[in-house]
Amino acid sequence: MRSPALSLGRRFAGLVAVLVAVPAVVQVAVFMHVAALNEDADRLVEETRESALASRLVVRIESLASFLESGEAARTDAQLLRIAASQLEQSRRAIESLSFESDEEDPSREEHQLAEERLSVAIEAGLDAVETWLSGTPGVELAEVEALLERGLRHASVLANETYEESQHAGADVERRARAMFGYTLSALIVVLLVSVAVSLLVRRLVLRPIRELQSGAERLRGGHLDHRIAIRNRDEIGALAGAFNDMADEIGKSHAELERKIEARTLELVRAARLADVGVLAAGVAHEINNPLASIASCGEGLLRKMDRGSAEPEEAREYLGTIVSEAYRTRDITRRLLDLARPAPSTSAAIDAAPLFEQVRALTHHLLEQRRMRIEIDVEPSLGSVEGDAGELLQVLLNLVINARDAGSDGGIVRVRARTDGDAQVWEVEDDGEGIADGDLERIFDPFFTTKAPGVGTGLGLSLAAAIVDRHGGSISAGRGPHGGALLTIRFADAARQSEVTP
């Protein structure tokens, strides 16, 4: 078998790589955005701190400027000097605090840091001039000190405004970064969701659907659809499995066709053998049944010829011989007629027949036959028996054959019981004698042609076979068993024509 062009292992490896790569990329991007956001937050904190320090520095320089407005008298007032020295010290500390307090790199922008250094130098120059004037150093003019301090105040105001604007800029950067991070994270989640949906659809298309098709194909193959094949959609392991399944189905189909051919051939052989066996049975039965009357005819003919040759044939004796020959010839004709009726049934006329009158006809036709053995017939017909579909003459022949068979099997002075009743949508006819019944070993053969338990020459063994054939032509069934009185019980079931018409629309 040729190896798949793109195996499931490779495809799943690609899917796993996508599932791993997408979250990894998302994680790296989120990490970078978090780092940038953290840097912007540090810058916002630093700029806010510097803005507060610059604002306080402006207030203290303004306080020193107010002190200088008192002129030379300010240097003689000890309390004012202490206040001025305190303001001066706090101003210097504020300038020192403007530098980044941590050992790490200042998060502020480089141009902002340069501007801070430049303005701090100018501010410190004014503070130095004030400190020199306060110390009483000769040659330092108050006007010059005021000018330097005024310049330092302007630079402090610029510094305060710049740090405020920088803090606002840093806050805007943090907000912008947060919005960007939210949007990127949402986009990444959407991408991950789309990738997951795509992966699930691919798995469904590449794995689940082909497996379901294989399952459906196996079920159809098990159900006998040997011509069913599975479409090979992909050149992977499942495609190879589908190809193997189709090859297996081809082999099964060929084996099944070969098996059917062999079964058909064997069936024909068995049918031929059965036909030969039936012909053998039929030939043996015909030979047995016809040989008896033929032997009687030959015997009587030879005896009559001998007497006629000797001239000793009396008319009465000759009449007796000829009567026997005629009787046996008629018996031979009756046997052949029954065989023809059994083998080639004449077409019958089918109609809805009221069943109850058939039993009264049977009573009338068999009355004298039963009286010969001092027997009587009991007929019990349900009043609401209804009708059956069929030929009245053939159905009457069935009842006559069963009653005559019961007469022959019963005992002298006995009773033949005939019953007819309804059972759901069917009619049940029963004929029972009071004889010894049918042996268990004979039940399976009781309806076979030429099978009889009567003495030789008494019956032909065709009565029950003919009755079974007629019942079968009428769509009914016949069975034999032991009746409640110990004798044989023959049961016939027919569909009730009236009830069938009520059920069938």
Side-chain angles (χ1 to χ4, degrees):
M1 182 180 297
R2 192 168 59 178
S3 61
L6 185 58
S7 65
L8 284 178
R10 294 178 181 176
R11 291 181 178 179
F12 276 112
L15 294 178
V16 171
V18 171
L19 290 177
V20 172
V22 170
V25 171
V26 171
Q27 185 176 3
V28 170
V30 170
F31 178 77
M32 294 175 62
H33 276 73
V34 168
L37 181 63
N38 185 51
E39 182 179 347
D40 289 339
D42 291 341
R43 188 161 64 89
L44 175 61
V45 171
E46 177 63 17
E47 297 302 335
T48 303
R49 184 184 68 83
E50 291 180 354
S51 177
L53 290 174
S55 297
R56 288 196 296 270
L57 179 60
V58 170
V59 172
R60 290 185 177 89
I61 293 176
E62 287 177 348
S63 177
L64 288 174
S66 299
F67 172 76
L68 292 178
E69 289 177 357
S70 300
E72 292 295 336
R75 286 194 290 187
T76 60
D77 190 336
Q79 185 177 359
L80 290 177
L81 285 174
R82 285 195 301 271
I83 294 173
S86 175
Q87 295 293 335
L88 184 62
E89 180 66 23
Q90 291 179 7
S91 297
R92 289 188 181 278
R93 290 179 180 175
I95 292 174
E96 292 177 357
S97 299
L98 283 173
S99 61
F100 192 57
E101 295 179 344
S102 176
D103 295 336
E104 300 177 359
E105 185 179 355
D106 190 346
S108 301
R109 294 182 300 168
E110 184 177 356
E111 59 269 21
H112 177 62
Q113 296 177 24
L114 294 175
E116 283 183 355
E117 292 177 359
R118 187 178 67 255
L119 293 173
S120 297
V121 170
I123 294 170
E124 286 182 350
L127 295 178
D128 289 342
V130 173
E131 185 178 8
T132 303
W133 183 78
L134 289 177
S135 63
T137 303
V140 179
E141 297 295 334
L142 179 59
E144 184 180 355
V145 172
E146 287 178 345
L148 290 173
L149 187 60
E150 180 65 23
R151 181 185 175 193
L153 180 59
R154 288 196 304 273
H155 284 80
S157 299
V158 172
L159 179 61
N161 290 332
E162 187 170 330
T163 53
Y164 176 75
E165 291 177 359
E166 189 68 17
S167 66
Q168 293 296 313
H169 188 271
D173 287 343
V174 169
E175 184 177 356
R176 177 181 56 80
R177 185 75 67 179
R179 287 198 300 268
M181 182 176 175
F182 175 77
Y184 186 82
T185 304
L186 181 61
S187 300
L189 289 176
I190 293 174
V191 170
V192 170
L193 179 61
L194 292 177
V195 170
S196 300
V197 172
V199 168
S200 64
L201 291 177
L202 284 175
V203 170
R204 179 182 179 86
R205 179 178 178 274
L206 298 177
V207 179
L208 296 182
R209 187 172 68 178
I211 289 178
R212 289 196 183 100
E213 290 180 353
L214 282 171
Q215 179 184 5
S216 176
E219 291 176 352
R220 288 178 63 84
L221 188 64
R222 183 184 64 181
H225 299 277
L226 301 181
D227 57 342
H228 180 72
R229 299 296 182 269
I230 298 175
I232 301 176
R233 306 181 185 278
N234 301 305
R235 293 181 58 190
D236 53 16
E237 287 84 352
I238 296 182
L241 181 60
F245 178 89
N246 291 338
D247 293 341
M248 178 190 69
D250 291 337
E251 293 298 325
I252 292 176
K254 293 178 182 178
S255 299
H256 185 266
E258 180 65 19
L259 182 61
E260 283 188 338
R261 186 188 64 79
K262 291 181 179 179
I263 291 175
E264 183 178 1
R266 184 60 177 167
T267 302
L268 291 176
E269 293 178 1
L270 292 176
V271 168
R272 284 195 294 268
R275 287 176 178 174
L276 291 175
D278 290 342
V279 170
V281 172
L282 181 63
V286 170
H288 179 270
E289 295 298 325
I290 294 182
N291 276 341
N292 289 333
L294 289 179
S296 298
I297 292 174
S299 176
C300 291
E302 290 176 352
L304 182 58
L305 285 175
R306 284 195 299 271
K307 289 184 177 293
M308 291 179 66
D309 290 339
R310 291 196 300 267
S312 59
E314 298 294 335
E316 289 299 326
E317 189 177 15
R319 180 180 295 277
E320 182 180 353
Y321 278 114
L322 291 176
T324 301
I325 292 173
V326 170
S327 175
E328 292 300 303
Y330 280 133
R331 190 157 77 93
T332 303
R333 185 193 64 180
D334 184 62
I335 292 173
T336 57
R337 181 182 59 79
R338 286 175 177 265
L339 283 173
L340 290 175
D341 290 342
L342 184 63
R344 294 194 302 271
S348 58
T349 302
S350 180
I353 302 165
D354 188 7
L358 294 176
F359 295 91
E360 293 303 322
Q361 295 180 46
V362 169
R363 184 197 300 274
L365 293 173
T366 60
H367 175 70
H368 295 292
L369 289 174
L370 294 173
E371 277 190 345
Q372 292 176 2
R373 298 190 60 187
R374 303 185 307 281
M375 299 176 71
R376 59 188 176 90
I377 186 171
E378 291 183 357
I379 297 178
D380 181 12
V381 178
E382 185 177 292
S384 58
L385 184 61
S387 59
V388 293
E389 190 77 18
D391 183 271
E394 289 189 348
L395 295 178
L396 179 61
Q397 183 179 358
V398 169
L399 289 174
L400 286 174
N401 285 358
L402 298 185
V403 171
I404 293 172
N405 189 76
R407 168 190 174 275
D408 294 340
S411 57
D412 292 340
I415 302 174
V416 175
R417 296 175 176 86
V418 179
R419 296 181 289 271
R421 55 185 173 83
T422 57
D423 184 12
D425 294 336
Q427 287 190 22
V428 179
W429 299 356
E430 296 176 340
V431 177
E432 180 187 4
D433 61 53
D434 58 357
E436 297 179 357
I438 303 173
D440 294 339
D442 296 335
L443 286 175
E444 294 183 357
R445 305 173 56 201
I446 195 67
F447 298 108
D448 291 347
F450 301 112
F451 177 80
T452 181
T453 58
K454 300 175 184 178
V458 177
T460 62
L462 294 174
L464 291 181
S465 299
L466 184 59
I470 294 174
V471 170
D472 184 67
R473 288 202 299 271
H474 283 72
S477 62
I478 185 170
S479 60
R482 186 174 293 275
H485 297 88
L489 175 64
L490 296 173
T491 304
I492 302 173
R493 293 182 68 89
F494 287 118
D496 188 283
R499 289 176 173 80
Q500 287 292 104
S501 62
E502 293 177 0
V503 175
T504 305

